[in-house]
Structures are given as C-alpha cells and as structure tokens.
Amino acid sequence: MTISRKIAELLERGEVAVLVTVARGENVGAKLLVEEEARTTGTLGSAELDSLVAAQALRFLQGRDDTRLVSLKDFATDFPSAGEVFLLFE
C-alpha cells in the first residue's frame, strides 16, 4: 500500500500518524509513516533507521508537536552519519 493511500485511510477513520521525510542526507525524500499503534508504512532506507525514527515519531505524536526539522544526532547519536541526516516530522 502506498503512503498516500494509507494517509487517506487514516484520515477517513479519524486517526493520526506522523509522516517523517529525509530532508538532508542519504535517501533524501524517503518517507516513513508511523501510526499511533507503531505500525509503519514506507522506509527511510534501512531497518535500523526506521526503528530509531519510529520510536522518536511516537514521542512526537504523544506530544502533539508542530511540524519540525530534526537532526538525527538529536536522538540517535550512535547511528552512522547521524550529524548529516535531517528529518522532517509532520
């Protein structure tokens, strides 16, 4: 299922999710949709990165934060090239 189709389904059901997009670094434009139940659609390029970002996305959902650009090094300092990756959470 595509991310856009999944978003449409979630909106129809009145559910919320976080869409995370790689804004800078390897795989620019890659997207991961994270639902409140921790289900994901899409990938940012690696299973390890997806897992780290999904956990952060759930915290983002709980806080009901506004859209923001985040450096991967802010929450995953041990990830290779963390300082070069920026993610848009919305």
Side-chain angles (χ1 to χ4, degrees), residues 4-74:
S4 57
R5 183 170 286 159
K6 187 65 175 180
I7 290 170
E9 281 184 10
L10 291 170
L11 290 173
E12 275 183 26
R13 294 192 308 251
E15 297 179 26
V16 296
V18 176
L19 180 62
V20 183
T21 306
V22 176
R24 189 173 105 190
E26 194 172 326
N27 297 321
V28 168
K31 296 182 184 308
L32 181 70
L33 181 69
V34 183
E35 300 174 50
E36 283 185 301
E37 297 81 23
R39 288 188 301 265
T40 61
T41 304
T43 182
L44 300 175
S46 82
E48 180 184 7
L49 181 58
D50 290 350
S51 178
L52 291 167
V53 170
Q56 183 66 21
L58 291 173
R59 287 188 285 277
F60 182 84
L61 263 177
Q62 290 172 349
R64 299 290 194 239
D65 291 337
D66 291 328
T67 299
R68 62 184 213 184
L69 186 64
V70 177
S71 172
L72 183 59
K73 72 178 179 181
D74 291 344

